[in-house]
Amino acid sequence: MFDIDKWQEILSTISKNKLRTILTGFSVAWGIFMLIILLGSGTGLQNGVENQFADDAVNSLWVYSNQTSMPYKGYNAGRRIQLKNEDYERTKRTIKQADHISGRLYVSSANTTSYKNNFGTYSIRAVNPGHRFIENTIITKGRYINDLDIQNYDKVAVIGNIVKDDLFKNGEEPIGQYIKIGNIPFKVVGVFNDKGGEGEMRIIYLPITTAQRVFNGSNNINQLMFTVGNASVEESKKIAEQVRTEMAQYHHFDPKDQRAVRVNNNLEEYMKVQNLFTGIRVFIWIVGIGTIIAGIVGVSNIMMIVVKERTKEIGIRKAMGATPLSIVGLIMLESVVITSLAGYIGLVLGVGLLELIKANIPPSDFFMNPEANIYVALTAMGLLIFAGTLAGFIPARKAAAIKPIEALRDE
């Protein structure tokens, strides 16, 4: 392997046939280049889609109410189903797997929010404490809404970072200050960040009981959501069906009426996406490996030609005492050098192009951070070395089988 004379001979052979070597290596380089680009692009697409799920807990179920689409026990179709606090309490009591649960009430954004001489219009959501874990809210200052706030109807607020920057200028500390929503003061008890992006940080969270009393005047809620711990997809489907059945019984609609109450199963959707990307990765590897195999076949054919051209030389070597193993080693090493060098060039160019794309593409919610990780690179290099060995094996065996007398007669 580290015989200097052998390496000098390989380099001399390659340099004598530059064009042939370049064209042969190009097919291998192109194959590994395309494999890296496809895998990196697939990763970028997967990162973008998974980012859409980062805003909410993956293992969450979301319950939405609508109008009935079919009559039921004397009730006409078209009746509006309204979720209430009782639905929250009943779900919390009956769904044993629900580790975090919250209702959500939307407060009209027509209520301008102000602090001193600073004003803004923001999305206002009234929630329960469990909402923090369902929305993956990250508290950066202070605290989130707690059970005492719910019980005591406290007028407290948790504001997003953008709301803080808009209302509290010059680095003023927001915790403990009072903002006004409409004309009603709320004490700021926390500031949060959110993986969902800037839109999610233009939100103000209030205790749901307080908002119901101050803005709504009833016990209505717009949505109900909860997480299901370590439940599998099949278990989450059964939970969703249980919730629908209980809602149908309480609100008097047909359990088969999908429009009356819709249960969005994030876990099921997430697993569908994961399975999709698993299929995409398998397809990419099949295409990439197929392209590489095409290049390796080219290398093997070229090595067959090399053996044919050097038949007399190989015969002389064997006549002077060269062993079949040394002949096999020489041919296979030359094949590995060509494929490895070409593959490495394709690998570097592929990674470089991905980094260039990553640095210059505009921000997107559906495509971000395209990259080929170190494991992919190592796998590709291992594949190349194996492929180079395989490409040289058949020509090497042919070379080792050459008889000196017949080789010397070769024209």
Side-chain angles (χ1 to χ4, degrees):
M1 181 69 179
F2 298 100
D3 188 337
I4 295 178
D5 292 336
K6 186 180 292 186
W7 281 99
Q8 287 177 339
E9 184 175 350
I10 290 172
L11 293 176
S12 175
T13 303
I14 292 174
S15 63
K16 288 178 182 178
N17 301 279
K18 295 185 180 68
L19 181 60
R20 185 174 69 188
T21 303
I22 291 172
L23 292 177
T24 303
F26 175 79
S27 61
V28 177
W30 180 255
I32 199 69
F33 173 81
M34 289 305 300
L35 177 62
I36 294 298
I37 293 298
L38 288 172
L39 287 173
S41 300
T43 299
L45 184 61
Q46 184 171 2
N47 289 340
V49 173
E50 288 185 345
N51 184 63
Q52 302 300 306
F53 285 93
D55 183 31
D56 304 323
V58 171
N59 62 336
S60 60
L61 273 66
W62 296 63
V63 183
Y64 304 85
S65 62
N66 207 326
Q67 290 180 331
T68 59
S69 61
M70 57 182 68
Y72 181 72
K73 292 184 178 180
Y75 293 95
N76 294 326
R79 180 169 52 93
R80 177 75 187 184
I81 302 299
Q82 177 62 61
L83 299 178
K84 296 182 178 294
N85 287 344
E86 289 80 0
D87 294 305
Y88 166 83
E89 297 294 342
R90 185 179 59 257
T91 304
K92 184 178 182 180
R93 183 176 62 254
T94 60
I95 304 299
K96 304 303 181 183
Q97 297 93 330
D99 44 7
H100 301 293
I101 182 168
S102 175
R104 181 189 284 181
L105 174 68
Y106 293 101
V107 177
S108 173
S109 58
N111 294 290
T112 301
T113 302
S114 63
Y115 174 73
K116 295 182 179 178
N117 295 323
N118 300 319
F119 299 86
T121 302
Y122 308 101
S123 176
I124 303 171
R125 298 175 181 175
V127 298
N128 296 93
H131 193 275
R132 172 185 177 183
F133 304 97
I134 299 169
E135 274 281 0
N136 292 330
T137 302
I138 303 168
I139 298 297
T140 56
K141 287 186 178 181
R143 64 173 178 85
Y144 198 70
I145 292 162
N146 59 33
D147 290 327
L148 287 177
D149 297 329
I150 300 294
Q151 294 170 13
N152 299 330
Y153 304 92
D154 291 336
K155 293 179 181 177
V156 296
V158 181
I159 62 176
N161 271 328
I162 292 180
V163 179
K164 174 187 73 74
D165 294 338
D166 288 348
L167 299 181
F168 296 89
K169 307 293 185 180
N170 302 319
E172 187 175 356
E173 177 58 47
I175 304 300
Q177 303 297 330
Y178 284 85
I179 60 175
K180 285 186 178 182
I181 301 177
N183 292 318
I184 302 170
F186 285 83
K187 182 180 180 180
V188 177
V189 295
V191 179
F192 72 88
N193 198 351
D194 196 290
K195 293 181 179 180
E198 291 188 2
E200 293 294 323
M201 289 184 284
R202 297 184 61 85
I203 293 173
I204 300 173
Y205 288 122
L206 307 177
I208 192 167
T209 52
T210 306
Q212 287 173 333
R213 175 174 287 188
V214 173
F215 299 106
N216 185 268
S218 68
N219 65 344
N220 294 340
I221 60 177
N222 298 121
Q223 292 169 272
L224 178 65
M225 64 280 293
F226 57 93
T227 56
V228 291
N230 296 321
S232 65
V233 173
E234 290 304 316
E235 289 171 338
S236 69
K237 290 180 180 179
K238 292 178 181 178
I239 294 170
E241 192 58 36
Q242 179 183 346
V243 171
R244 180 187 297 282
T245 301
E246 291 179 352
M247 291 288 182
Q249 182 179 356
Y250 184 81
H251 291 281
H252 309 292
F253 65 86
D254 193 323
K256 297 178 183 179
D257 189 349
Q258 299 291 322
R259 184 178 174 185
V261 168
R262 178 169 60 89
V263 182
N264 184 38
N265 190 336
N266 262 12
L267 180 59
E268 182 181 6
E269 296 301 319
Y270 181 76
M271 292 309 299
K272 285 180 180 179
V273 170
Q274 289 300 310
N275 292 336
L276 172 64
F277 279 108
T278 298
I280 290 174
R281 282 195 296 271
V282 171
F283 176 75
I284 288 173
W285 274 104
I286 290 174
V287 172
I289 291 174
T291 307
I292 292 173
I293 289 175
I296 296 305
V297 170
V299 173
S300 183
N301 289 335
I302 291 300
M303 295 310 299
M304 291 289 286
I305 294 173
V306 169
V307 169
K308 179 66 178 175
E309 290 176 346
R310 298 170 64 184
T311 297
K312 184 173 290 188
E313 175 193 330
I314 292 171
I316 294 173
R317 283 174 176 272
K318 296 188 74 174
M320 296 179 65
T323 64
L325 184 61
S326 66
I327 301 298
V328 169
L330 178 65
I331 301 301
M332 290 185 67
L333 182 59
E334 184 173 339
S335 175
V336 170
V337 168
I338 293 174
T339 52
S340 298
L341 181 60
Y344 181 75
I345 292 172
L347 179 66
V348 170
L349 291 176
V351 172
L353 181 58
L354 285 177
E355 290 298 320
L356 188 64
I357 294 173
K358 183 178 178 180
N360 291 281
I361 60 171
S364 171
D365 291 335
F366 298 98
F367 188 84
M368 58 175 57
N369 300 328
E371 58 186 1
N373 60 41
I374 184 65
Y375 300 107
V376 172
L378 292 176
T379 301
M381 286 306 300
L383 182 64
L384 283 174
I385 294 173
F386 172 76
T389 304
L390 193 63
F393 180 69
I394 296 176
R397 283 189 60 188
K398 181 177 177 63
I402 293 174
K403 295 180 180 180
I405 295 177
E406 293 178 359
L408 294 173
R409 292 175 181 171
D410 186 70
E411 295 297 333

